[in-house]
Amino acid sequence: MYPASFTYVRPADLAAAEAAFREADDPRYLAGGMTLIPTMKQRLAAPSTLIDIARVPGLSFIRREKDTLVIGACTRHATVAAAPEVRAAIPALAALAGGIGDPAVRNRGTIGGSLANNDPAADYPSAVLGLGAVIRTTRRTIAADAFFTGMFSTALEPGEIITEVAFPGPRRAGYAKVRNPASGYAMAGVFVAETGKDVRVAVTGAGACVFRAAEMEQALARSFTPDALADVRVAAADLNADIHGSAAYRAQLVRVMAARAAAAALSGA
Amino acid sequence: MDEFGIGAPLPRLEDVRFITGRGRYTDDIPMSGLAFMEVVRSPYASARIKGFDISAAQAAPGVLLVLTGEDARAEGFGGYTSKMRKTNRQGEPNFEPPFRILEAERVRFVGDPVAIVVATSAEAARDGADLVLVDYEELPAISDIKAALAKGAPLVWDEVPNNECVFVELGDRKATAAAFAQAAHVAKGEFAISRVAHASIEPRVGIGLYDPVEDRYTLHAAVQAPHTTRNEIATRIFRIPENKLRVISPDVGGAFGGKGYSHPELALVLWAARKCDRPVKWVCTRSEAFLADFQARDNLAQVELALDANGKFLGVKVKNVLNLGAYLTNAGLQCGFHHVGSICGVYTNRNVDWEVSAVFTNTTPIIAMRGAGRPETTFMIERIIDIAAAEMSIDPAELRRRNLIPTAAIPYDTGFVHTYDSGDFEKGFDTAMRMADWAGFPERRARSQARGKLRGIGMAYAIESAAGVRDETAEIRFDTSGAVTIVVGTHSHGQSHETTFRQVVASMLGIAPKDMRMIYGDTDLTPFGRGTGASRSMTVAGSALVCAAERIIARGKQIAAHMLEVEESDIAFDAGVFTTRATNRSVDLAGIARFAHDFRQMPAHLGVGFAERVAFVSDGINFPNGCHVCEVEIDPATGETSIVGYWLSEDVGVVINPLVVKGQAVGGIAQGIGQALCEKIVFDGESAQLLTGSFMDYCMPRAKDLPAIEIKSQEVPAPNNPLGVKGAGESALVGALPAVINAICDALRPLGVKHIEMPATPARIWEAIEQARRAKAA
Ligand SMILES: Cc1cc2nc3c(=O)[nH]c(=O)nc-3n(C[C@H](O)[C@H](O)[C@H](O)COP(=O)(O)OP(=O)(O)OC[C@H]3O[C@@H](n4cnc5c(N)ncnc54)[C@H](O)[C@@H]3O)c2cc1C
């Protein structure tokens, strides 16, 4: 498993990173490398230049801005999982981060990398969409609802770098997933949040891209209890079907995980 | 010597080396001037090769050599052959496909090797391989048994109409039909035994060297049987005398049958080494392993069990179809024949009607894997028993009890293949029932139910035949300092021989295990041996060591008598020391060894030296067996299963080291649980492309998936080898498949589910529950 040869660049700051991006033939930013490096080793990707942003100062932090929790793009999953600020403000987010992959992945992978990659089975996109977070980049801020545009695709423009993610603190939130037995990624994961204004339900793993489940949101808005979801049917039509499970199975998992996420939110876990 | 002799729980002597990172695997061997080989493989499951263009690859930086199937053909190499020959439906000898090391005209599975690129670095070889252009004409392909046998199916081999290579009838059709005619009940089942990967933690690897002065090759490679590998490569591929090839297999990180026989790459590194006058290394990547490592199992079985009104077994009918993959490997066919005897289980049924057919498909070839046919056969009988029990409303344990071969009836001729020479199935059964608290299960089920969970319990009483290759050579030799070296022709790659073989010799000779040196895995340094596989090593190599130790003692007595100036009959041997009863003088083995190497002192008729080499042949195979009980809890909402209990009451004969026996059993059960719950190789039905090409899709069991496993050994000695041992390497896996599936089916039965195919993944379990629910509603 050897990648094709490439050039490695370590910029001093974000401006230098973006400049390096403009100058290269077929560049990619490198953060934790947990997605990019394996794809290069399998030769599914062969970028000419890797621009390492993991070492750019000021991208790894967790900070409170009033009711909002702001996490730097290069913050590792393990750091988010263990951070007292996250555990206090949004325990469901800390739990989600602590359940990504395995310890090696959590110690390398970053929140910015996960969001930019937008794997249909990744965990973070469901929290970002479920909490109605805002993604701040080198060029603008993008609302979660506008960020995830499709399978492995986002609203990011070429060369644009995620710098941080701002999560408004919810009244309560919960996350539940069933792991794919082989890969450990989510077969279906549901993030449920009661914000000040509304109820949001975001589903990952089950479709081509993370999505909000409107009927579930309405049901939970009427009554924020697991039982409120009992009669909500999840349509299988647009869900994934592969060797690991049918669309009908994923629809079932979405229903069950939503109820478990609501229960988790109520228990404050 | 009790603290380290036979039966002692001696911690493994190899552990320090392995857990401190001092194991030495083939890839760790430093070599100057090393070149690296990359294999170019077919991207199609079936295609005609119209031509090669290697010019760009040859010109690439670092590339030393590019060879294609056409070059291999020009060399006149031979091919690999099957160890077993059978007949086709017309009764003619079965077609034996040419199995070359590189293909020139046709490719028959995704991963079929067509060319190699050798370069100064692994990266350059990989880049060079991308530049080899092969012009293919893609052809239609088939990957599964049903498609292979369908009318008008594409042919894998033009010589084999219907893709059926072998068809054989075994057993007694008439007697079985008569037994079925008497039956009060006939249970029927159709089982798909999934295809799995050996998935050893160390991938396959080889380093080839060629010495032009001696005109001789050396292969360093991870293999289970160095002499077998030497024989296959020297005589079949290169057609040279075997003394022109040395095979060295150092530490090996797991094999399970996958490193038992030669794959093309091991001959390729040797050929490449000769062509470019450098040592050449190939290390398989994990992705490549999923394509090109021979795979295992994959067959369909239709099974019928006839019972009388009391549940007594009257007869079994089996129709078994094997998927061979695209070629016949050395041991692929054996998996369908060697272990059919297990269909009788530990039961008194005597009528068997067995039909086996084997078909080619455009998939990776099949080879033996831990159990090699025994897990499949055991699954057939143990699963159909549970189906019968459910249909007749008899507790499945009770149904087994009614049919057990009584201990008093041993030795027992099953009437089909085997005569069991030892065993105490009644005791094994009773012990397992107690260990698992079978009687307390209903209460445990009720508690699970109260929590919304489904609970099930399953039993399987497995019996297998071990150590079928019955000869092995071992040597015990003393040096002039009096220290001992033991040499065997088997290979240890997880079996703990470095500990257990020393324990055998320690028991015989009273020498501490740590003071012995042990040599194996090198055709130049060891006597001829058949390597490790089929749970044979302790039975045959252990027994060879016993015989060698006996001869050492006998020769020691002769020399001691001379040294102590008494009659040989006056010499007694105990714990490493020869003593005369008459004068109370003594000499130990080291003293004998020092004396024996001095030709000036030794009497001429005894000769010099102190070493014995013995080629042992056992009187027959042995029958390790074990009663497995598995208990599972299922979440009906997600289909997720957890194994909440696992108990094994086993008999592997005399236990040399209980820690090692337990380790083998736990490993085997883990592998069985893997196949039962999650592992499966899947090919696309249309293109025969591999869909499970990495661990992201091929699901290995994790530590968290396994329960604490409780094991008790019965130790009924095998009568036909001096140690009384039975094979301990595979028997636990053999029973794990049906025990787990029986437990799952038991949990789901109240919902109306009759059977579930392996692997019983959460998705499959949920679908089965849904289907049963819909059927009930309708
Ligand atoms: C074995 C394994 C198991 C895993 N299991 C899970 C799991 O269960 N759940 C889960 O969610 N994930 C899982 N992952 C993925 C993991 O979470 C990765 O960390 C994540 O997908 C990518 O983050 P990264 O920092 O490693 O990004 P990289 O691999 O470095 O980059 C990924 C992509 O994002 C781009 N990128 C990175 N940072 C930025 C940025 N700040 N701005 C713009 N673009 C950027 C890169 O250019 C690249 O295209 C797993 C990975 C592995 C290897």
Side-chain angles (χ1 to χ4, degrees):
Chain A
M1 300 265 272
Y2 301 97
S5 66
F6 56 87
T7 309
Y8 173 82
V9 184
R10 192 185 290 174
D13 54 33
L14 288 170
E18 287 197 303
F21 194 96
R22 275 192 303 274
E23 278 154 29
D25 246 359
D26 181 15
R28 285 287 194 94
Y29 294 120
L30 175 71
M34 288 289 94
T35 293
L36 189 50
I37 303 292
T39 37
M40 287 171 62
K41 282 184 172 179
Q42 288 176 297
R43 301 203 167 195
L44 298 172
S48 65
T49 312
L50 286 191
I51 305 162
D52 188 351
I53 55 168
R55 308 191 192 225
V56 169
L59 289 179
S60 180
F61 61 83
I62 295 169
R63 114 183 137 235
R64 288 291 286 259
E65 286 176 3
K66 286 199 237 121
D67 285 342
T68 300
L69 189 68
V70 185
I71 299 179
C74 289
T75 312
R76 316 275 182 195
H77 307 332
T79 310
V80 173
E85 306 92 309
V86 184
R87 290 167 161 239
I90 319 177
L93 184 62
L96 174 146
I100 295 175
D102 52 43
V105 169
R106 293 195 287 276
N107 281 313
R108 296 288 311 164
T110 68
I111 186 169
S114 179
L115 297 177
N117 190 53
N118 193 21
D119 188 302
D123 296 294
Y124 264 133
S126 70
V128 167
L129 191 60
L131 290 163
V134 167
I135 288 143
R136 299 176 182 157
T137 76
T138 39
R139 298 175 196 172
R140 56 194 165 137
T141 65
I142 310 171
D145 283 314
F147 183 81
F148 304 103
T149 54
M151 191 192 282
F152 292 109
S153 82
T154 68
L156 291 173
E157 291 162 1
E160 188 174 8
I161 300 172
I162 300 176
T163 53
E164 57 193 41
V165 188
F167 294 94
R171 186 174 301 154
R172 50 180 153 237
Y175 180 62
K177 69 170 165 181
V178 166
R179 286 171 175 272
N180 176 313
S183 72
Y185 275 84
M187 284 284 285
V190 181
F191 199 99
V192 168
E194 193 176 2
T195 68
K197 307 191 295 272
D198 54 1
V199 171
R200 296 171 69 98
V201 177
V203 178
T204 189
C209 176
V210 64
F211 64 90
R212 287 176 64 183
E215 278 184 56
M216 288 191 174
E217 292 182 346
Q218 288 150 17
L220 285 177
R222 284 193 293 275
S223 155
F224 197 91
T225 59
D227 288 345
L229 297 169
D231 295 330
V232 179
R233 289 266 72 109
V234 178
D238 296 332
L239 300 186
N240 299 336
D242 55 28
I243 58 170
H244 302 291
S246 63
Y249 177 58
R250 284 193 168 78
Q252 161 76 2
L253 292 183
V254 169
R255 208 168 56 79
V256 175
M257 291 306 112
R260 289 186 189 172
L266 289 168
S267 77
Chain B
M1 289 306 141
D2 283 341
E3 84 253 45
F4 44 61
I6 289 174
L10 186 68
R12 299 189 339 143
L13 295 164
E14 45 270 76
D15 280 343
V16 171
R17 173 163 105 250
F18 289 136
I19 62 188
T20 57
R22 291 185 177 95
R24 180 184 262 206
Y25 300 89
T26 301
D27 192 31
D28 301 329
I29 300 170
M31 200 82 64
S32 66
L34 187 62
F36 299 81
M37 181 178 92
E38 183 80 22
V39 181
V40 180
R41 301 180 182 282
S42 167
Y44 300 111
S46 180
R48 207 178 316 283
I49 298 175
K50 296 202 287 189
F52 293 91
D53 178 355
I54 59 169
S55 51
Q58 278 174 319
V63 169
L64 301 166
L65 178 73
V66 182
L67 295 168
T68 69
E70 288 168 0
D71 300 306
R73 189 169 50 193
E75 292 269 5
F77 293 146
Y80 293 118
T81 50
S82 167
K83 278 205 291 199
M84 183 177 262
R85 281 246 162 169
K86 291 287 174 187
T87 47
N88 66 14
R89 214 172 263 270
Q90 286 70 44
E92 306 151 351
N94 67 270
F95 172 70
E96 177 110 14
F99 191 173
R100 306 179 189 88
I101 57 173
L102 288 180
E103 292 303 325
E105 288 161 22
R106 267 287 293 273
V107 286
R108 291 181 166 83
F109 70 98
V110 178
D112 216 350
V114 296
I116 56 170
V117 175
V118 179
T120 50
S121 72
E123 293 87 337
R126 177 72 174 82
D127 287 340
D130 281 351
L131 299 173
V132 172
L133 300 180
V134 187
D135 190 5
Y136 293 103
E137 178 194 335
E138 196 183 353
L139 301 169
I142 41 166
S143 64
D144 67 70
I145 290 169
K146 287 192 171 147
L149 293 174
K151 240 194 155 81
L155 297 185
V156 181
W157 294 96
D158 295 337
E159 296 86 344
V160 185
N162 310 326
N163 295 309
E164 190 184 63
C165 172
V166 160
F167 177 86
V168 174
E169 289 171 359
L170 303 164
D172 189 334
R173 177 155 287 181
K174 253 171 85 183
T176 308
F180 270 70
Q182 306 295 312
H185 184 79
V186 174
K188 296 181 184 180
E190 191 172 329
F191 312 132
I193 316 276
S194 48
R195 178 183 285 233
V196 288
H198 301 77
S200 55
I201 197 161
E202 180 208 24
R204 289 188 300 115
V205 54
I207 302 173
L209 290 89
Y210 176 71
D211 175 353
V213 178
E214 260 207 284
D215 181 28
R216 187 169 195 255
Y217 299 88
T218 300
L219 175 69
H220 299 264
V223 297
Q224 293 171 232
H227 282 91
T228 306
T229 298
R230 183 178 74 167
N231 170 273
E232 291 182 330
I233 295 174
T235 66
R236 303 234 187 274
I237 306 299
F238 294 158
R239 297 177 165 137
I240 56 173
E242 285 186 44
N243 69 1
K244 295 258 177 219
L245 172 61
R246 175 183 186 181
V247 176
I248 304 170
S249 180
D251 283 333
V252 170
F256 310 112
K259 295 169 183 166
Y261 304 100
S262 305
H263 286 66
E265 296 86 356
L266 299 186
L268 289 169
V269 286
L270 292 168
W271 180 32
R274 171 162 65 79
K275 294 293 274 189
C276 69
D277 201 13
R278 285 193 192 218
V280 174
K281 174 153 89 176
W282 172 76
V283 186
C284 192
T285 66
R286 186 63 65 181
S287 319
E288 198 175 12
F290 274 110
L291 288 175
D293 285 10
F294 301 152
Q295 298 168 351
R297 318 223 204 278
D298 196 350
N299 51 74
L300 290 178
Q302 282 173 23
V303 185
E304 294 183 26
L305 176 66
L307 306 94
D308 74 10
N310 294 321
K312 270 277 187 195
F313 303 160
L314 302 174
V316 190
K317 288 188 201 167
V318 173
K319 281 191 166 76
N320 193 200
V321 193
L322 323 174
N323 184 344
L324 295 167
Y327 299 88
L328 276 182
T329 65
N330 188 321
L333 258 188
Q334 286 182 342
C335 301
F337 287 91
H338 262 184
H339 310 296
V340 294
S342 295
I343 198 69
C344 295
V346 292
Y347 312 107
T348 52
N349 162 52
R350 299 183 57 84
N351 298 306
V352 178
D353 172 352
W354 187 294
E355 193 180 287
V356 55
S357 114
V359 304
F360 290 115
T361 60
N362 294 110
T363 60
T364 309
I366 289 291
I367 200 148
M369 175 175 162
R370 206 173 188 176
R374 289 163 284 191
E376 291 95 316
T377 311
T378 303
F379 187 85
M380 294 173 206
I381 184 66
E382 292 297 320
R383 183 71 203 112
I384 199 71
I385 290 174
D386 265 39
I387 290 175
E391 289 171 353
M392 297 178 76
S393 301
I394 304 174
D395 175 80
E398 167 59 23
L399 184 57
R400 286 179 174 81
R401 190 82 176 85
R402 285 185 202 172
N403 288 283
L404 276 188
I405 296 169
T407 308
I410 302 284
Y412 183 85
D413 178 355
T414 65
F416 180 66
V417 189
H418 295 317
T419 296
Y420 300 143
D421 57 8
S422 67
D424 188 343
F425 311 135
E426 292 173 334
K427 185 170 169 206
F429 178 92
D430 292 341
T431 307
M433 292 288 279
R434 261 198 316 278
M435 287 166 77
D437 183 18
W438 186 278
F441 174 73
E443 198 182 308
R444 300 196 290 279
R445 172 177 266 179
R447 277 205 300 273
S448 294
Q449 211 161 14
R451 287 184 291 109
K453 299 284 172 68
L454 306 167
R455 202 177 183 101
I457 193 164
M459 178 183 275
Y461 205 139
I463 184 159
E464 60 140 337
S465 47
V469 181
R470 296 189 286 122
D471 64 310
E472 191 54 63
T473 309
E475 181 180 329
I476 299 177
R477 66 175 182 240
F478 287 78
D479 53 41
T480 56
S481 75
V484 68
T485 299
I486 60 182
V487 191
V488 289
T490 50
H491 190 281
S492 186
H493 39 270
Q495 293 82 359
S496 320
H497 295 167
E498 291 179 39
T499 306
T500 54
F501 284 1
R502 282 179 168 102
Q503 283 182 265
V504 169
V505 176
S507 274
M508 299 285 297
L509 299 183
I511 300 166
K514 66 172 176 35
D515 294 335
M516 295 175 210
R517 163 136 178 80
M518 182 166 152
I519 297 174
Y520 61 87
D522 183 334
T523 55
D524 272 12
L525 300 184
T526 68
F528 175 75
R530 299 200 184 270
T532 291
S535 303
R536 66 187 299 273
S537 297
M538 185 52 80
T539 303
V540 288
S543 296
L545 283 169
V546 169
C547 298
E550 281 168 352
R551 289 201 197 164
I552 285 287
I553 294 167
R555 179 169 167 76
K557 279 187 179 170
Q558 292 178 320
I559 300 171
H562 176 78
M563 289 173 77
L564 304 178
E565 299 174 307
V566 293
E567 286 298 311
E568 208 186 304
S569 55
D570 281 339
I571 301 282
F573 177 76
D574 181 45
V577 182
F578 297 88
T579 326
T580 75
R581 281 179 278 264
T583 63
N584 212 17
R585 290 170 62 205
S586 68
V587 57
D588 65 3
L589 278 165
I592 299 267
R594 284 190 293 269
F595 186 89
H597 283 92
D598 187 343
F599 69 89
R600 288 161 307 189
Q601 300 189 62
M602 281 292 279
H605 74 279
L606 290 179
V608 286
F610 197 34
E612 295 290 345
R613 171 180 290 194
V614 174
F616 169 85
V617 185
S618 75
D619 290 343
I621 56 175
N622 56 60
F623 300 97
N625 60 88
C627 188
H628 297 238
V629 179
C630 173
E631 198 163 313
V632 300
E633 197 177 62
I634 296 174
D635 180 344
T638 61
E640 288 172 303
T641 299
S642 45
I643 298 184
V644 291
Y646 203 106
W647 303 271
L648 169 59
S649 143
E650 70 167 4
D651 166 22
V652 294
V654 170
V655 170
I656 305 294
N657 180 329
L659 298 178
V660 168
V661 163
K662 177 159 190 196
Q664 291 296 308
V666 167
I669 290 167
Q671 225 162 7
I673 288 174
Q675 178 158 14
L677 289 188
C678 54
E679 294 182 51
K680 186 179 183 192
I681 292 282
V682 185
F683 295 96
D684 182 71
E686 290 280 300
S687 64
Q689 290 283 339
L690 179 70
L691 297 181
T692 46
S694 79
F695 287 131
M696 298 299 268
D697 289 304
Y698 184 87
C699 180
M700 294 295 281
R702 269 82 156 172
K704 69 167 175 51
D705 301 325
L706 299 178
I709 296 170
E710 211 186 301
I711 295 163
K712 279 209 174 97
S713 295
Q714 311 293 343
E715 299 205 58
V716 184
N720 58 4
N721 68 74
L723 285 165
V725 294
K726 303 174 184 175
E730 300 167 285
S731 66
L733 184 152
V734 169
L737 280 184
V740 175
I741 297 291
N742 279 342
I744 290 171
C745 291
D746 182 57
L748 301 178
R749 187 173 310 115
L751 307 182
V753 176
K754 293 208 169 64
H755 176 67
I756 193 152
E757 294 290 11
M758 67 185 80
T761 60
R764 211 174 246 180
I765 288 178
W766 181 80
E767 301 282 356
I769 295 174
E770 269 308 280
Q771 233 172 39
R773 199 171 278 161
R774 277 198 300 271
K776 261 190 188 167

